[in-house]
Amino acid sequence: MLAVKRTRRLDPDPAFTAAFRELAPRLPGSANEPLARIREEGFARFLALGIPTQRDEAWKFTNVARIANRPMRPATATELPLDRVLPYLLGGPRARRLVFVDGRLQPQWSHTGGLPQGVIVESLARAAETRPLALAEALGELDDGRSFTALNTAFADGGAWIELPAGLALEAPLQLLFVTTGGEVPVMSHPRCVLRLGDGASLTLLETHVGLGEGAALTNAVLQLALRPGARLEHDRIQLPAAQGSLLAKIDGSLGAGARYRQTTVLLGGALVRNEHELRIDGPGVDCLLSGVAVPGTGEQSDIVVRIHHRAGGSHSDQYFKHVVEDRGHAAFAGKIVVHPGAQKTNAYQKNDNLLLSDDGEVDTKPELEIYADDVKCSHGATCGELDAGALFYLRSRGIARQAARAILVHAFAAEVIGRLADPTARALAETRLVARLGGGLDGALVETVLGEAA
Amino acid sequence: MLTIENLQVSVEGKPILKGLSLTVEAGRVHAIMGPNGSGKSTLAHVLAGREGYEVTGGNVRFGDEDLLALEPEERAHAGLFLAMQYPVEIPGVANMYFLRQAINAICKARGQDEIPAAEFMRKVREQARLLGIGEELLKRDLNAGFSGGEKKRNEILQMALLEPRLCILDETDSGLDIDALRTVADGVNRLRSPERAFLVITHYQRLLDYIVPDVVHIMADGRIQRTGGPELARELEERGYEGLLGTKLAA
């Protein structure tokens, strides 16, 4: 008998099994047989897939085992005072939101009342009670061969079920806020979100990941998107993990004819943050715009993976990702556009611009096109440069100190992406945090004011 | 105010300034004229503190400070301003935001309070109006896509707002049509005062018809070759560098 060849994966730490056995009876929907079975299957799949190593092409630039393959445990209930969370409540006074701390819904800060007829916004735990079969089906239908997705299916704790009926435009933004506190033993949480927009429905989603506290934490998030024809989704993502916090986020989505999906991600901080996207364009007239900026410094890695499948012709997709690498930071980007046979008149673009601020930083970029149709417009490009010495001197010669001049120029590089955030409060938070991070005594409010005036 | 003694500067091992000496007094306008490659722009850059120049000898005193020991921003704080020949385009940084940062940085370094937003706006608009700079240009990104004339006006605007003691103008006339030249020169002339000195670096006599210098220096081969009054510029215009200095130096 041949041994199973498993050179590319590591066997997961046994602590995962112990945690799953201990936790399974308490996870949302555990009393429901189909849901419990899906979780068991998810866990078995996770064990079979193992933890990827850098010999795995998809993880070539990223050593995920160092943060993921070690004993971890689910968080115990944490009490946080409101003022710790307040700066991250986005979307203005009319916003609806679900707030999770270490995977647990915080009803005192959540607000989903007064939504129009037919709109569903409920936590995963609630969905496990109200629609266990639909949830089991949704969890079960996503098998992307990715061990962390399987792990999420097994452990899914926080997260939400969101549905808008056809034709409904929800004007108030909806925020999903995930707060992670961390612990002495690394703490893990596995938010799972299912978002479905009916024909022509429209939503602004603010997805925020925030790390509070010194301890190590892993947030393993999965979001399943389905946009019916003509639906529109503005998706602002602000990710502010703590120094010892890591975030693995996977977005899997399908976009129907004429759908419009705009996603902007701003990442500051985190030991390892990997944002993966797998999007399928299933009809003509789709407009899909993904943008992101991250500023990894020493001990931090930002890893962006994008796969866009044009399965139908006549659609447009655009990827625009920027990295600023400071000190010993590490940035990786792997973007792929696949134009499937027959998807003529596809327009697909991809750009990855990098600003490398130190000799010790690392930038890996891998743009890829795979085209099986002949009448398409596709392009990809990647750049890597340092700060313009002439510009730096110009600012300093006007009395602006080196650190501030550097901050102004880095800000200018990142600002274009931040400006794409749909929600003004998300923009302000990203802006303030970026400016604080860059140092140099710049005033974030001033940047916002002056940029606002200039706009 | 500015005393340069036997300044020697190399770029990538090649000597450019070869023992330049020059004294500029407060309240005076000094012009430096010279052929291409004589080291004029190198002098301007070295005084402002740009990297890439190796000072191999001599010294420069600005007031009572050793200028060459200061960082570029410290030179600006001490009151030195270089209006550049090629102002850098900086996309993503709004002109107005940049001006505010620069003024505040200089106020702070000089121990003054930052100027309130309303006063700042009033000052900027007033100076911009005098220089024929439209509101739209203030809102755009710094120098990005500005015409040559707009860039030079923007330099003079910064000079007016930052109130330096010593203004160095590096080929400010290059790329300007006659109307823009007049506007820029008027802007400079408005700033002339007993406390402020100017070092006007130019290739041509033309600018000096509008900014009339007190002293004219002819520079060639990395040194000041001749010094005189405004009449020296006119003599140069008639005889050319070769006629004035001899063929060898002008080569």
Side-chain angles (χ1 to χ4, degrees):
Chain A
M1 189 180 133
L2 279 173
V4 180
K5 202 178 168 195
R6 292 202 35 183
T7 51
R8 289 189 163 188
R9 306 280 176 150
L10 297 176
D11 285 328
D13 191 284
F16 281 110
T17 305
F20 186 67
R21 289 295 150 236
E22 182 198 331
L23 213 63
R26 288 186 278 130
L27 285 166
S30 56
N32 181 279
E33 197 276 326
L35 255 175
R37 195 177 62 241
I38 290 290
R39 288 185 183 281
E40 288 286 348
E41 285 170 10
F43 193 70
R45 185 94 173 103
F46 167 68
L47 291 180
L49 287 168
I51 302 272
T53 71
Q54 287 181 270
R55 293 168 65 186
D56 186 322
E57 185 60 26
W59 294 84
K60 190 174 166 183
F61 305 128
T62 303
N63 179 2
V64 70
R66 82 189 154 90
I67 58 130
N69 202 25
R70 56 180 170 172
M72 266 187 267
R73 68 174 179 217
T76 48
T78 313
E79 293 282 322
L80 281 177
L82 175 62
D83 61 339
R84 299 285 309 277
V85 177
L86 206 52
Y88 309 103
L89 302 183
L90 301 179
R94 295 171 57 235
R96 303 301 199 281
R97 69 175 58 88
L98 294 173
V99 180
F100 301 87
V101 175
D102 295 327
R104 287 182 176 76
L105 181 73
Q106 308 293 309
Q108 74 279 23
W109 299 327
S110 300
H111 169 46
T112 56
L115 286 167
Q117 188 75 31
V119 175
I120 301 165
V121 176
E122 55 191 26
S123 71
L124 189 90
R126 178 95 186 110
E129 290 166 17
T130 55
R131 60 196 82 247
L133 290 179
L135 181 61
E137 196 180 326
L139 293 183
E141 76 187 7
L142 178 60
D143 182 6
D144 51 9
R146 184 177 167 270
S147 33
F148 295 106
T149 302
L151 186 67
N152 176 287
T153 300
F155 280 96
D157 41 20
W161 183 283
I162 298 158
E163 238 179 286
L164 263 63
L168 192 133
L170 193 61
E171 287 191 19
L174 173 66
Q175 183 184 21
L176 298 174
L177 170 57
F178 300 96
V179 177
T180 308
T181 60
E184 276 174 38
V185 176
V187 162
M188 60 178 178
S189 60
H190 303 269
R192 181 69 165 255
C193 298
V194 177
L195 193 161
R196 293 176 177 171
L197 299 186
D199 292 54
S202 158
L203 175 70
T204 298
L205 176 70
L206 313 176
E207 183 193 353
T208 323
H209 288 274
V210 176
L212 300 173
E214 304 291 305
L218 173 66
T219 304
N220 173 32
V222 175
L223 166 60
Q224 288 168 265
L225 293 178
L227 272 62
R228 294 278 306 161
R232 298 165 80 94
L233 177 62
E234 297 279 352
H235 188 187
D236 288 354
R237 306 166 81 206
I238 310 279
Q239 302 174 337
L240 305 167
Q244 297 301 315
S246 289
L247 170 61
L248 304 175
K250 169 78 193 260
I251 294 178
D252 179 275
S254 55
L255 310 174
R260 178 182 142 123
Y261 178 47
R262 285 177 61 113
Q263 184 210 105
T264 306
T265 303
V266 178
L267 159 67
L268 296 166
L272 170 61
V273 177
R274 174 152 156 134
N275 280 296
E276 283 186 65
H277 312 73
E278 180 135 29
L279 298 168
R280 293 167 299 277
I281 291 173
D282 289 329
V286 171
D287 190 15
C288 173
L289 172 59
L290 308 177
S291 319
V293 64
V295 188
T298 298
E300 298 175 346
Q301 181 178 357
S302 164
D303 186 359
I304 294 164
V305 179
V306 183
R307 274 186 300 272
I308 295 189
H309 298 272
H310 284 263
R311 304 208 292 195
S315 281
H316 170 251
S317 72
D318 199 341
Q319 306 168 35
Y320 187 53
F321 288 92
K322 289 188 169 195
H323 272 130
V324 179
V325 178
E326 301 183 301
D327 306 319
R328 294 178 172 278
H330 183 182
F333 171 83
K336 190 174 202 172
I337 300 166
V338 186
V339 180
H340 290 247
Q344 305 293 4
K345 307 285 180 196
T346 288
N347 285 326
Y349 305 100
Q350 180 189 87
K351 196 149 175 24
N352 174 225
D353 288 335
N354 296 282
L355 190 55
L356 187 52
L357 296 178
S358 90
D359 294 339
D360 303 319
E362 181 176 342
V363 172
D364 299 297
T365 178
K366 195 175 83 164
E368 283 181 284
L369 297 177
E370 226 179 280
I371 302 174
Y372 301 101
D374 54 9
D375 184 15
V376 301
K377 279 187 195 156
C378 293
S379 74
H380 63 77
T383 65
C384 185
E386 52 185 5
L387 276 186
D388 178 356
L392 199 59
F393 171 67
Y394 190 83
L395 296 178
R396 294 178 72 198
S397 77
R398 272 38 176 164
I400 299 169
R402 180 198 288 274
Q403 186 67 21
R406 184 179 162 280
I408 287 173
L409 294 177
V410 174
H411 177 269
F413 180 81
E416 195 184 349
V417 171
I418 291 179
R420 293 184 180 195
L421 289 165
D423 180 74
T425 64
R427 220 153 47 220
L429 176 63
E431 183 72 23
T432 311
R433 291 309 169 100
L434 173 67
V435 167
R437 162 109 191 197
L438 295 176
L442 293 193
D443 181 343
L446 178 64
V447 177
E448 182 71 12
T449 313
V450 178
L451 288 179
E453 277 171 18
Chain B
M1 176 184 289
L2 179 75
T3 311
I4 305 173
E5 280 176 348
N6 191 29
L7 182 63
Q8 294 159 54
V9 174
S10 295
V11 178
E12 288 169 0
K14 188 177 173 235
I16 305 290
L17 299 185
K18 303 169 182 174
L20 182 140
S21 297
L22 180 68
T23 302
V24 178
E25 310 84 15
R28 309 270 274 177
V29 175
H30 287 244
I32 294 187
M33 302 182 71
N36 284 333
S38 58
K40 304 188 301 292
S41 284
T42 297
L43 174 64
H45 285 150
V46 168
L47 293 177
R50 187 168 192 145
E51 285 173 15
Y53 298 90
E54 192 195 349
V55 177
T56 54
N59 65 73
V60 180
R61 298 208 65 81
F62 181 46
D64 47 15
E65 293 193 84
D66 175 4
L67 185 72
L68 300 180
L70 302 179
E71 295 290 326
E73 56 267 35
E74 293 171 332
R75 300 179 195 205
H77 301 159
L80 184 143
F81 183 92
L82 169 63
M84 298 195 191
Q85 184 179 4
Y86 303 110
V88 185
E89 300 199 5
I90 309 188
V93 177
N95 201 6
M96 195 68 115
Y97 172 72
F98 157 72
L99 291 171
R100 183 102 201 257
Q101 288 290 332
I103 289 182
N104 284 341
I106 285 187
C107 286
K108 206 174 140 197
R110 292 175 185 167
Q112 299 159 353
D113 290 336
E114 295 189 349
I115 65 171
E119 195 192 330
F120 164 77
M121 295 299 279
R122 190 186 53 72
K123 262 181 123 162
V124 172
R125 290 206 170 105
E126 184 191 322
Q127 291 297 334
R129 187 179 51 78
L130 289 169
L131 288 163
I133 294 173
E135 190 79 4
E136 185 257 351
L137 215 57
L138 295 172
K139 290 181 176 175
R140 273 170 51 189
D141 287 352
L142 178 54
N143 293 329
F146 285 24
S147 71
E150 287 169 339
K151 284 180 183 166
K152 295 301 171 72
R153 286 170 208 241
N154 204 36
E155 293 292 288
I156 305 303
L157 172 67
Q158 294 166 36
M159 197 165 94
L161 292 169
L162 299 182
E163 301 179 356
R165 285 193 292 155
L166 173 64
C167 307
I168 304 169
L169 283 74
D170 185 13
E171 307 265 5
T172 294
D173 50 334
S174 68
L176 292 188
D177 62 32
I178 197 72
D179 293 326
L181 183 66
R182 201 168 281 158
T183 312
V184 164
D186 288 347
V188 172
N189 287 328
R190 272 195 302 276
L191 296 174
R192 291 177 79 154
S193 82
E195 297 80 37
R196 187 170 285 146
F198 290 82
L199 194 56
V200 181
I201 293 171
T202 181
H203 204 77
Y204 301 107
Q205 148 78 18
R206 193 177 68 154
L207 179 65
L208 305 181
D209 290 340
Y210 298 96
I211 305 172
V212 181
D214 300 300
V215 185
V216 174
H217 308 274
I218 310 289
M219 183 169 174
D221 194 28
R223 284 188 205 95
I224 301 295
Q225 305 288 348
R226 279 189 62 181
T227 295
E231 74 287 349
L232 186 58
R234 281 190 291 277
E235 193 189 336
L236 178 67
E237 192 75 359
E238 282 163 23
R239 299 177 55 197
Y241 289 110
E242 288 190 14
L244 204 68
L245 303 172
T247 316
K248 205 175 124 222
L249 284 175

